[in-house]
């Protein structure tokens, strides 16, 4: 399995490790905080990941979009729910987000395909 | 009642009417779509308003933040839920969003005060 | 005449002079370039000012919007043309630009009123 | 013809179809509006496409830049006109837009080459 | 002393306290990190504050600009140094940053005036 | 040597030449200004390049990041200094900048490797 999704996951993991190994404490603390904020609180993890997905889409960051899509799907968010969240991002962010919508739909398809390949659904 | 919140609400209403009365059909259709996208679908209205709030905060738009805060509170979102959503916006959007966090907390207090004044809580 | 429009014009002029008087040559050259780029070329001044207005609106800069509105009106751009340009900005930039659309419509009204007061139409 | 331009066109078409087929009505309505806003009105199509190009460049969206370049060239916009519009985008948006200027010039060359290959000029 | 600068300082302090008192731990940790990152490291505090100022200017956040200006001046950054840093922000961020340049020059003047009034120079 | 870094350098040079050869004077003047602003003034070149790097990172422009990294390294900026500057960009710009942090760390490694290959360290 050597598709774009898999390459992204491996690249992300490898580079995050290098960043954390660089010894800069402020960066390390930020990464810790970035994980903590999506953990279950008063809001459940599913809602939090949808918030992360919409924030990533209006800010037009493909790397962030695919990460939150993966997390959303782990939390059992359905395609219809993802489409509604992306529709909000589109209206808020405008046509300039459309290329990122295309990317989100492409990655969503890849994530679902991989999920099925793993027999996880 | 002549506070900043009230002035914002009246200004917003007055100007939206002028924009819609200008006769530009594309603008009118966009405004319709902007209302439609927050209506109950697979995702409930509360979640949708939280998505709108986080999108508005990372994009750093005070006018949009106060609007979605008002809507969130109409949908019975609690302060703790709002704080968690704003925490995600802060981590995603960085310290550059802090002035908008201050504005959100200020307006939240005003909206709650007005709500109590109306005996609606 | 002590309205918001007039105050903006005076503040802009006063601060621009202070910036240019600060003695930083790179800033000075940039300001010169910023004037030059809107001068008549292959594209006429009216088209260039509309380009400046749309760029300012999608980038959500009120100070830039009012400046280009004033210039557009000097170049005899009509309200209908301005509305069509703003509609494009709205679709490209999304609902996050709506507060700036409200501001544009408000300022447009003030500029037209002032123009009539001056007997210039 | 298997260049980057052709791949972009095919990818764009394929993914837009998937997005529209997803069944989300708000997204569908937005796509309709996004086509409508560039149609001839008081402003002609050429001016509208230039507005779209400048908005795309200051917002730094390569996918949007190449799309509007293609449309501009269909409407007989000349290279000199495109350069003047891009100069405005550069001054408004700053050096951060330069990588997108490089992309615009690269794609412009490819579009012109393809146009000649088709004997359309 | 009831000028805009003083009002900003007091508002900022009051609202930051309310935000920290809200009980959201992730927000609190982010605020701690936001202070830590500007402390002397391999880079001195003066350089770090200039980095904060330029980041704030290209991201066009007045509240952040005035904060970093105050800090820069505490670290004995001269006006000429500030102008050079702002010139970089202007070239990188484009004419859209000019209203924020005006604000920076205005606040700089107020901070210097206050400094003299305090006999601190 | 046919890595991503080398390809970027060659592409950048080739396209910049084409842009400058296009004959648009305003673009040409902007490019001149973009070089001038990083030259030694009251602030030294090292500080100016760090300012350019942080501005590029918070604005999330990979092409600009790699360019300023190359310049920083020419001016003998150390890895620890770069990490501290990037930490500020991360806190100011939020988690949305993390993909660009990954890119910066990747390119930094390539630039250092190339530097050693050239016996320049």
């Amino acid at each position: 399995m050597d598709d774009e999704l898999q390459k992204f996951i491996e690249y992300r993991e490898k580079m995050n490790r290098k960043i954390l190994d660089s010894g800069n404490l402020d960066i390390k603390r930020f990464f810790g905080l970035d994980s903590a904020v999506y953990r279950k609180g008063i809001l459940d993890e599913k809602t939090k990941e949808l918030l992360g997905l919409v924030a990533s889409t209006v800010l037009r960051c493909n790397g962030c979009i695919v990460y939150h899509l993966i997390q959303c799907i782990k939390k059992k968010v359905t395609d219809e729910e993802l489409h509604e969240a992306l529709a909000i991002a589109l209206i808020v962010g405008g046509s300039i987000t459309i290329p990122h919508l295309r990317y989100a739909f492409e990655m969503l398809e890849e994530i679902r395909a991989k999920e099925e390949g793993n027999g996880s659904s």
Side-chain angles (χ1 to χ4, degrees), chain A:
Chain A
M1 191 165 293
D2 194 43
D3 49 34
E4 193 183 346
L5 175 63
Q6 191 57 28
K7 268 191 286 189
F8 166 78
I9 293 170
E10 283 164 19
Y11 172 78
R12 182 180 179 279
E13 209 168 304
K14 186 184 74 174
M15 291 314 303
N16 280 7
R17 209 163 29 226
K18 287 195 184 188
I19 292 171
L20 293 173
D21 288 352
S22 75
N24 184 292
L25 191 61
D26 293 327
I27 294 178
K28 197 166 194 157
R29 287 171 67 197
F30 185 88
F31 272 63
L33 196 42
D34 184 34
S35 297
V37 82
Y38 296 103
R39 286 197 200 113
K40 192 183 166 351
I42 309 276
L43 296 176
D44 58 30
E45 288 174 308
K46 186 178 137 173
T47 303
K48 287 188 162 193
E49 287 300 334
L50 284 170
L51 294 173
L53 176 66
V54 166
S56 302
T57 307
V58 297
L59 289 174
R60 301 156 48 206
C61 173
N62 279 347
C64 314
I65 288 171
V66 67
Y67 175 74
H68 286 294
L69 276 177
I70 294 170
Q71 296 308 112
C72 280
I73 287 170
K74 280 190 189 161
K75 307 303 171 201
K76 308 291 175 204
V77 181
T78 67
D79 283 5
E80 283 78 5
E81 289 172 320
L82 290 170
H83 297 164
E84 287 196 3
L86 291 169
I88 287 177
L90 174 64
I91 305 303
V92 174
S95 69
I96 209 79
T97 66
I98 290 179
H100 303 276
L101 216 61
R102 288 197 276 266
Y103 184 77
F105 271 76
E106 186 190 7
M107 286 302 105
L108 179 53
E109 203 171 62
E110 283 204 27
I111 300 167
R112 292 291 186 207
K114 200 173 157 185
E115 195 188 31
E116 278 178 40
N118 292 345
S120 70
S121 68

